[in-house]
Amino acid sequence: MYTTTTIAFGISLLATFAYPQKIDKPALQPNLDYLKAGLQSNMPSVGHNHHQWSDDWMPQYCLEESKIKDNGFNPADIRTYDIRYDDCETAWVVCVHKDSLMSIETLADLFGRVPVGSRSYIRHVISLPAKSGSASYFGDSIRLNQIGDDGLEVLLHETAHSLDVHAYDEPLSISDNWKEKTSRDSAVPDNYAGSSPAEDVAQSSVIAAYNIVVPGGFPGIEPRWVEVRNQYETVQTVQREQADSIFKPGGRCRKRLENSETVPVPTGKRLLRGRWAPWRRSEMPDISLAKGLEVIEASDFDSGKCGEDIESKAWGPARQHS
């Protein structure tokens, strides 16, 4: 399950477009859960290790996510980790709430199954407890709410939003190419794909990844595959021709998003006369990218308002914090 998605980035091109509220086509399936087993079996995790930060520091992104009004988490309950994968010199910085359904071990394993060419377009991942399962993409990062050990499909979906923004010659979901090619299909992949073109691209990306890595591809599991063929084949073609086959496992990272600023964890334990006492904190972690990595320009895309007019709604302030 995914959240509805908001967009709030700084790519002015998109401000001239508006997403229709829904795509007027039937859904091929209710959801894409039937792809989970094949993806899990055919996307092996890359070798990795993780290291927990001290309790003094956390990424600005994780602090902001903890302060969102409908969350209200204590930042001191969120643990920050470096995950260093064998296919990249620079670690990914992730955050896991102490009560999260997904452990750091599971997160490291699942995120390592996302091919490095795609994984490189994600800045942070945060896993939080919630009443129900959902996920969203915001600030080039992924937020997982009550997602457990079957979350690979979710990570692929949310990563696909970043690819839509960053990886192609133009955002695919608002391109004439997408509109023309997908108009030939008689259905959308599932109910969620029908909510907007951005979600259609994200769900079609999950299918494209399945079609690439699983023997027999999508037609091997979906007898009605031809009804959505142009959607996932367009994604597959664009990622191959414009983004160096970033759905294909293997290779090494060549570009990365810079991490968000490292900030003190506001526990209130290190105040001296009402001010922070910086000499009482541990040394700030080094979050710089390895030399030689190309830096991907950041965006503020938020996947929660894809069904609304971009110019009037999705390009305003990203989220309201308490």
Side-chain angles (χ1 to χ4, degrees):
M1 177 180 179
Y2 315 107
T3 57
T4 55
T5 320
T6 43
I7 302 179
F9 24 149
I11 301 177
S12 59
L13 169 67
L14 292 177
T16 61
F17 292 83
Y19 286 120
Q21 189 68 25
K22 295 184 71 175
I23 299 172
D24 189 21
K25 292 182 181 181
L28 193 65
Q29 297 288 348
N31 54 58
L32 299 184
D33 287 355
Y34 66 123
L35 305 185
K36 287 181 178 181
L39 289 168
Q40 189 89 1
S41 298
N42 292 277
M43 281 188 158
S45 188
V46 175
H48 59 271
N49 60 75
H50 65 269
H51 172 263
Q52 184 173 343
W53 285 19
S54 79
D55 293 337
D56 297 333
W57 306 98
M58 69 191 309
Q60 178 71 38
Y61 166 79
C62 296
L63 177 61
E64 291 177 353
E65 287 296 305
S66 73
K67 293 165 62 180
I68 293 173
K69 287 183 178 180
D70 59 354
N71 284 349
F73 293 115
N74 181 351
D77 291 334
I78 296 175
R79 315 289 186 243
T80 302
Y81 300 87
D82 284 335
I83 307 177
R84 191 171 298 278
Y85 293 102
D86 292 348
D87 55 15
C88 194
E89 292 78 9
T90 297
W92 274 264
V93 181
V94 305
C95 300
V96 180
H97 190 278
K98 68 180 183 64
D99 297 325
S100 167
L101 180 62
M102 184 180 289
S103 67
I104 179 58
E105 291 79 12
T106 298
L107 176 55
D109 174 78
L110 292 179
F111 195 43
R113 293 173 185 269
V114 178
V116 67
S118 297
R119 192 186 337 126
S120 297
Y121 286 88
I122 295 298
R123 171 182 281 126
H124 301 297
V125 181
I126 186 170
S127 181
L128 299 169
K131 294 180 180 179
S132 60
S134 64
S136 60
Y137 166 77
F138 167 70
D140 298 320
S141 302
I142 296 174
R143 170 178 158 185
L144 303 173
N145 301 312
Q146 202 66 12
I147 300 295
D149 58 7
D150 63 346
L152 177 57
E153 176 203 350
V154 178
L155 287 169
L156 291 170
H157 171 100
E158 300 303 339
T159 299
H161 283 306
S162 191
L163 303 180
D164 188 15
V165 175
H166 291 294
Y168 310 132
D169 292 349
E170 62 178 329
L172 181 59
S173 59
I174 60 171
S175 67
D176 290 339
N177 179 37
W178 180 256
K179 184 176 180 180
E180 191 277 324
K181 293 287 179 56
T182 60
S183 67
R184 306 172 189 176
D185 287 341
S186 59
V188 292
D190 68 351
N191 291 331
Y192 199 62
S195 60
S196 73
E199 300 301 350
D200 189 18
V201 166
Q203 291 295 72
S204 297
S205 297
V206 174
I207 295 176
Y210 184 99
N211 196 54
I212 291 169
V213 303
V214 178
F218 188 58
I221 195 172
E222 176 53 69
R224 296 169 55 200
W225 61 275
V226 71
E227 297 180 41
V228 297
R229 176 179 184 174
N230 288 285
Q231 288 157 87
Y232 73 82
E233 286 192 349
T234 297
V235 172
Q236 195 166 321
T237 298
V238 169
Q239 65 84 34
R240 182 180 65 249
E241 295 180 350
Q242 300 179 14
D244 292 332
S245 298
I246 51 178
F247 290 171
K248 187 177 180 179
R252 298 193 61 80
C253 68
R254 294 186 296 174
K255 57 182 72 175
R256 288 283 301 277
L257 287 149
E258 292 184 307
N259 291 299
S260 62
E261 181 184 359
T262 299
V263 296
V265 177
T267 62
K269 294 179 180 179
R270 295 177 176 80
L271 293 177
L272 183 63
R273 296 180 181 178
R275 297 184 179 181
W276 284 99
W279 59 86
R280 296 187 179 183
R281 294 198 297 270
S282 60
E283 185 177 355
M284 183 184 295
D286 179 9
I287 60 169
S288 59
L289 299 184
K291 186 178 294 186
L293 286 177
E294 178 184 342
V295 177
I296 301 169
E297 184 178 354
S299 78
D300 289 321
F301 183 95
D302 184 335
S303 62
K305 293 182 180 176
C306 289
E308 301 183 14
D309 176 72
I310 292 177
E311 187 171 13
S312 63
K313 298 285 182 66
W315 288 81
R319 292 188 182 182
Q320 298 298 317
H321 297 114
S322 55

